[in-house]
Amino acid sequence: MTNHWTYYLEANNILNEARFGFRKGRSTISALARVKNFVEGAKEEKISSMVSFDIKKAFNSIKWADIKKQLVVYKVPKNLARLLDSFLRDRSVVLSDGSTWK
């Protein structure tokens, strides 16, 4: 399933160019090299700004129904949409605090 989704997202240029996590050929080292290049270029400009953030447990806060709605927005092929729907159907996650998430 991961291979199908990765191929679709990469082939259709859906992922942001600045996204490094879970992408082939893009490691932490790649991200750090990009930051280094930014900082070196910023020295010449004298004024610069950079924002970086990582949202902890972001996936846990998104409802699966909302993820499914985005499949239409991104015109995901029906076979991939059905695969994801089948995978998520009747599933729940038990979080470390004991609460459940669907």
Side-chain angles (χ1 to χ4, degrees), residues 4-65:
H4 288 291
W5 276 102
T6 300
Y7 175 80
Y8 178 78
L9 294 171
E10 294 285 353
N12 291 282
N13 295 316
I14 292 174
L15 298 176
N16 186 295
E17 193 61 31
R19 168 116 180 145
F20 286 86
F22 306 102
R23 293 182 75 182
K24 188 175 185 174
R26 295 178 183 231
S27 65
T28 303
I29 301 299
S30 304
L32 290 173
R34 192 169 185 173
V35 170
K36 179 181 174 244
N37 291 338
F38 173 83
V39 170
E40 288 173 352
K43 288 178 187 177
E44 297 172 13
E45 299 292 325
K46 307 258 193 245
I47 298 173
S48 63
S49 175
M50 183 173 76
V51 176
S52 176
F53 64 94
D54 184 13
I55 302 171
K56 187 176 182 180
K57 297 184 181 180
F59 186 75
N60 295 352
S61 65
I62 300 172
K63 300 291 183 204
W64 289 338

